[in-house]
Amino acid sequence: MTTYSQILELRSTLNDYREKKKSIALVPTMGYLHDGHLSLIKKAKAENDIVVVSIFVNPTQFGPKEDFARYPRNIERDSELAKLSGCDILFIPSVEEMYPAGFSTYAVVENISTVLEGKFRPTHFKGVTTVVLKLLNIVQPQVAYFGQKDAQQCVVIRKMVTELNLHTEISIVPTLRESDGLAMSSRNVYLSPDERKNAVALNQSLRLAERLIHQGERNSETIINEMMKLIQSKNPTTIDYIEIVGTENLEKRTSIKSGDTILIPLAVRFGTTRLIDNTIITV
Ligand code: PAF
């Protein structure tokens, strides 16, 4: 595994691989890798010749009051884990390398970036789409891998890639969970032992929604209220949202019809830690 911090050097190596007709995959991350990230890297390696993993805590996707400064970082451990999982090239640029002084160009996917997460984090997706577009342009991979846990991010990135005619396939990999069902996330380390125990309510509420729907419940408000009750019983600081939406346009569904595929995303805060999770259900 080789590590690069400069865009020009990375590009030159990747051009050599392209000349040798090697397929290139990208796994974009913000580091502090967990098994969820490693599953993306392993899948990328199983399906491609060369796997590039980027580690970049992207300042433009954090709001002014969010956790950019304290976001967990451990490059040494990440490098070891990435290598063991099949990473060929680690790209760890500095903020100055990605956003040189005077940077003022952004990619924005309108409408679907302003709902759900976008309501609570108004500048978040502008930062995500900008950095992902830059990474896709730098690496020019055949495939880029993202985790289903960030469901809205996946929808927004897919739309950007389609509408800007980018030459990369977007592969979405299922969420990996801890043994009690909590979705793996770099932010789980912020949870106190009590909050960590209570946070299983997120997964439990999603499984409850699945059961209710499979038992025939079709009213979104009823399902959301049952999920709310379950989560409320575990002392969350706030429930930012629980919604039932279409998987493509993220529009709210007041009722569910047979044959529908719906997304149930949620965001809940335990203490100061904001967690997201979701499930996709075909009825
Ligand atoms: O999902 C993440 O970790 C980030 O949003 C991403 C895609 C690496 C962009 O910074």
Side-chain angles (χ1 to χ4, degrees):
M1 185 179 80
T2 323
T3 301
Y4 293 87
S5 59
Q6 305 293 314
I7 294 167
L8 280 179
E9 286 173 13
L10 171 67
R11 276 197 151 152
S12 149
T13 298
L14 290 174
N15 282 339
D16 292 345
Y17 282 123
R18 260 187 287 273
E19 269 170 27
K20 291 179 189 138
K21 304 283 177 229
K22 301 283 186 197
S23 63
I24 296 168
L26 170 66
V27 182
T29 81
M30 297 207 299
Y32 213 71
L33 304 181
H34 52 66
D35 284 352
H37 295 115
L38 305 186
S39 78
L40 305 186
I41 301 172
K42 286 175 192 161
K43 187 166 162 59
K45 189 61 192 173
E47 297 175 351
N48 302 272
D49 298 318
I50 302 297
V51 176
V52 181
V53 176
S54 61
I55 297 182
F56 180 61
V57 185
N58 174 34
T60 62
Q61 69 188 75
F62 290 80
K65 291 187 183 137
E66 292 182 10
D67 56 343
F68 174 68
R70 70 168 188 141
Y71 194 84
R73 293 159 166 92
N74 190 339
I75 291 294
E76 236 170 75
R77 184 174 165 274
D78 284 351
S79 304
E80 204 47 45
L81 290 173
K83 186 171 155 191
L84 289 171
S85 304
C87 170
D88 300 289
I89 295 177
L90 200 53
F91 178 47
I92 313 183
S94 64
V95 172
E96 295 69 33
E97 182 72 2
M98 291 298 274
Y99 299 112
F103 185 93
S104 64
T105 307
Y106 294 88
V108 175
V109 177
E110 292 182 337
N111 303 322
I112 59 169
S113 294
T114 60
V115 298
L116 303 167
E117 282 299 284
K119 265 197 196 149
F120 294 85
R121 309 181 70 191
T123 55
H124 174 66
F125 287 113
K126 180 180 172 186
V128 170
T129 41
T130 300
V131 82
V132 170
L133 180 57
K134 282 174 69 71
L135 290 167
L136 292 178
N137 280 331
I138 293 165
V139 176
Q140 296 177 29
Q142 267 90 351
V143 197
Y145 293 80
F146 296 87
Q148 177 58 38
K149 189 178 79 71
D150 297 291
Q152 185 175 7
Q153 170 170 283
C154 294
V155 176
V156 169
I157 289 171
R158 272 226 162 106
K159 196 161 199 289
M160 173 181 76
V161 165
T162 304
E163 294 184 352
L164 295 184
N165 309 97
L166 302 181
H167 209 59
T168 296
E169 181 195 324
I170 301 301
S171 177
I172 311 295
V173 182
T175 304
L176 243 67
R177 296 182 181 279
E178 304 290 351
S179 55
D180 63 1
L182 179 68
M184 289 187 185
S185 163
S186 306
R187 290 188 166 102
N188 290 349
V189 293
Y190 299 150
L191 296 165
S192 71
D194 273 352
E195 290 162 0
R196 170 65 188 80
K197 259 187 244 152
N198 288 335
V200 296
L202 270 55
N203 178 54
Q204 288 169 350
S205 77
L206 293 168
R207 305 290 85 85
L208 171 64
E210 285 168 0
R211 279 200 304 281
L212 290 171
I213 292 170
H214 287 132
Q215 285 161 11
E217 183 57 64
R218 294 289 176 265
N219 185 290
S220 296
E221 201 182 324
T222 309
I223 298 161
I224 291 169
N225 284 342
E226 289 303 315
M227 295 174 71
M228 290 267 183
K229 264 194 256 166
L230 195 157
I231 296 174
Q232 288 291 9
S233 72
K234 297 290 168 75
N235 299 320
T237 316
T238 54
I239 299 179
D240 281 356
Y241 63 81
I242 303 177
E243 287 191 22
I244 298 186
V245 300
T247 49
E248 299 289 315
N249 54 16
L250 305 180
E251 275 170 15
K252 272 191 199 187
R253 298 285 175 87
T254 49
S255 63
I256 302 163
K257 291 174 200 64
S258 291
D260 268 359
T261 298
I262 47 138
L263 168 69
I264 310 185
L266 52 79
V268 177
R269 209 178 280 271
F270 285 94
T272 55
T273 308
R274 191 169 177 282
L275 300 175
I276 58 170
D277 202 348
N278 69 85
T279 185
I280 291 180
I281 306 173
T282 299
V283 187

